[in-house]
Amino acid sequence: MLMEALLIALWAGIIGIDLYVGLTHIHRPVVSGLVVGLILGDVTTGLIVGGTLELIWMGMVPLAGAQPPNVVIGGVIGTAFGIISGQDPNVAVGVAIPFAVAVQALITLFFTAFSPVMHKADEFALNANYRGIEYINYLGIAILFVFNALIAFLPIYFGANQAAAIVESVPEWIIDGLGVAGGILPAIGFAMLLKIMLKKEYIMFMIVGFVLAAYLELPILAIALIGLAIALYDFYKSKQDPPAREEEITDGI
């Protein structure tokens, strides 16, 4: 288990950097779940747990000082727990969120402690010392890597053998409660996303999607393809409309 824990820690360190300075989005739970599943030898569970966690974090957007639970550790620990313990993915989600909340609090504390270093960066900027600014950035990246790797390694390595035993000893009503909470969280994530995206002009599409899913019982992929077709039609229609309006104005003149 040592090698698996080290590989997961390495992955957590890399995606911990990607969360703040990367543009690849490999830190997303759906990707992280796949990689952790590959490392632990259960890709199917990794994808299921990662996809479930993705539904939660899809609507969690950092706004200024308000930061959502840490998506990196939540994705890694949640997926690893789901595979190691053999529990339902919803239970893994219920375990992932407390880890994610606690780690985000620690990261906020680290950022606060690191803030005085920015004054040193201001001095380097005044003196045109770009090397010094580079070193400060590299220091921040190194701290992020070590922190995420350590947080991912410790519970997986030291708790891996005990995870299944602990779960078996926990009362069934607690496991059921975690499962219910895990099942509700994706809905909350989508609700937060709708709060940001939903406009009165788009309500008709939400109603159509609801009818397709609830009454016609179409699979998600089919509904997504219908949505893609509507989006493509709207996109190309909007590109054709401006010239048409210009012609109408010209004809009127």
Side-chain angles (χ1 to χ4, degrees), residues 119-177:
H119 298 301
K120 191 65 177 178
D122 292 337
E123 293 181 14
F124 288 148
L126 290 174
N127 297 323
N129 184 357
Y130 65 91
R131 291 290 185 188
I133 298 175
E134 284 184 0
Y135 292 148
I136 287 177
N137 281 278
Y138 291 143
L139 175 62
I141 291 173
I143 291 174
L144 276 176
F145 179 88
V146 173
F147 173 78
N148 283 283
L150 191 62
I151 292 296
F153 175 81
L154 291 176
I156 292 174
Y157 178 67
F158 290 103
N161 296 328
Q162 294 83 4
I166 291 174
V167 170
E168 290 176 359
S169 64
V170 173
E172 186 175 350
W173 62 271
I174 294 181
I175 297 296
D176 293 340

Side-chain angles (χ1 to χ4, degrees), residues 71-132:
V71 63
V72 171
I73 297 301
V76 170
I77 296 297
T79 305
F81 178 86
I83 295 174
I84 293 170
S85 66
Q87 287 293 312
D88 184 88
N90 287 333
V91 176
V93 170
V95 172
I97 297 301
F99 269 100
V101 171
V103 169
Q104 187 57 50
L106 287 175
I107 288 180
T108 302
L109 180 62
F110 278 151
F111 284 176
T112 303
F114 200 75
S115 58
V117 181
M118 296 300 99
H119 298 301
K120 191 65 177 178
D122 292 337
E123 293 181 14
F124 288 148
L126 290 174
N127 297 323
N129 184 357
Y130 65 91
R131 291 290 185 188

Side-chain angles (χ1 to χ4, degrees), residues 219-245:
I220 295 298
L221 180 59
I223 298 174
L225 291 174
I226 293 173
L228 176 62
I230 295 173
L232 288 173
Y233 173 80
D234 183 69
F235 173 74
Y236 289 116
K237 187 74 166 57
S238 64
K239 290 181 67 176
Q240 294 173 1
D241 282 346
R245 284 195 294 269

Side-chain angles (χ1 to χ4, degrees), residues 28 55-64 66 68 187-203 206:
R28 302 303 302 179
L55 296 177
I56 299 171
W57 266 278
M58 191 180 292
M60 293 185 181
V61 181
L63 298 172
I188 295 175
F190 264 102
M192 294 174 65
L193 188 62
L194 282 175
K195 186 177 180 181
I196 298 171
M197 296 179 60
L198 188 61
K199 298 180 179 179
K200 61 182 180 181
E201 295 88 349
Y202 302 147
I203 291 178
M206 186 183 74

